[in-house]
């Protein structure tokens, strides 16, 4: 494994595979599966960074929010979400959001689901004691990139 970083990385972080939680680190791995997971995590981090930053603006520009969703989500997924009258954002499992959640955003693969779909678990500290939303997203490989295609909430 080769690691490139602007900050010091401990051997313990490398051993515990906690590198994906560091925004300042890129881990290059020889195993193609692990490298793919890194690409998927990078895609999800990019989505959440753009999405949360846009939602944190006052006033919210909903045209920009919709543009981000169109870029990162399949149209079938967005159609599915639009059929429900929700009082919260399922992509955040919350009604309100603050850009500070990006500091605690964690992404890992869900190994508990037995299906043809591979889900990624997204968690973050919402700022309230014991409130750590958990979102499970499925990604679809689309033209050398990914799109969010399904969701499960805990």
């Amino acid at each position: 494994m080769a690691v490139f970083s602007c900050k010091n990385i401990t051997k313990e972080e490398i051993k515990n595979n906690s590198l994906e939680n560091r925004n300042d680190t890129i881990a290059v791995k020889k195993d193609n599966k692990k490298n793919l997971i890194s690409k998927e995590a990078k895609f999800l981090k990019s989505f959440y960074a753009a999405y949360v930053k846009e939602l944190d603006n006052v006033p919210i520009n909903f045209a920009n929010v919709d543009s981000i969703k169109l870029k990162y989500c399949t149209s079938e997924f967005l159609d599915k979400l639009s059929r429900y009258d929700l009082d919260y954002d399922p992509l955040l499992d919350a009604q309100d959001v603050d850009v500070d959640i990006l500091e605690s955003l964690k992404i890992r693969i869900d190994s508990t689901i037995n299906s043809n779909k591979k889900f990624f678990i997204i968690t973050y500290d919402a700022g309230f004691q014991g409130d750590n939303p958990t979102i499970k997203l499925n990604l679809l490989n689309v033209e050398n990139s990914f799109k969010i295609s399904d969701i499960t909430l805990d």
Side-chain angles (χ1 to χ4, degrees):
M1 175 192 287
V3 177
F4 305 93
S5 175
C6 298
K7 295 182 180 178
N8 292 331
I9 297 174
T10 66
K11 288 182 181 178
E12 191 70 359
E13 286 176 302
I14 294 170
K15 189 189 304 182
N16 293 332
N17 289 326
S18 60
L19 295 176
E20 61 270 8
N21 297 331
R22 292 179 59 128
N23 292 330
D24 61 324
T25 305
I26 299 171
V28 180
K29 302 174 182 175
K30 291 182 181 178
D31 182 353
N32 285 339
K33 259 189 188 176
K34 289 180 182 177
N35 196 22
L36 183 63
I37 293 168
S38 296
K39 287 180 184 179
E40 292 161 333
K42 185 176 179 181
F43 169 85
L44 287 168
K45 282 184 181 185
S46 175
F47 163 70
Y48 275 101
Y51 191 60
V52 169
K53 286 175 185 175
E54 193 59 48
L55 287 172
D56 196 49
N57 287 332
V58 178
I60 297 173
N61 183 330
F62 288 102
N64 288 350
V65 172
D66 289 342
S67 175
I68 292 167
K69 286 181 181 179
L70 285 171
K71 178 180 177 183
Y72 288 93
C73 302
T74 64
S75 57
E76 295 83 8
F77 174 67
L78 294 175
D79 289 343
K80 180 181 172 181
L81 288 182
S82 70
R83 288 186 227 133
Y84 300 98
D85 185 25
L86 302 173
D87 65 348
Y88 70 100
D89 185 333
L91 292 165
L92 297 167
D93 194 16
Q95 290 181 329
D96 301 312
V97 69
D98 187 283
V99 75
D100 292 340
I101 71 158
L102 295 174
E103 294 294 320
S104 63
L105 188 73
K106 295 178 182 155
I107 300 167
R108 68 184 195 279
I109 193 163
D110 184 359
S111 58
T112 63
I113 295 179
N114 293 324
S115 75
N116 294 336
K117 295 182 178 181
K118 185 181 345 177
F119 281 85
F120 292 83
I121 300 171
I122 294 86
T123 58
Y124 62 89
D125 180 0
F128 307 105
Q129 186 174 357
D131 189 12
N132 296 312
T134 300
I135 305 120
K136 294 181 183 179
L137 296 176
N138 175 249
L139 297 182
L140 185 63
N141 198 336
V142 178
E143 298 176 13
N144 297 322
S145 187
F146 303 98
K147 291 225 177 200
I148 298 168
S149 63
D150 203 359
I151 190 168
T152 318
L153 300 173
D154 281 348

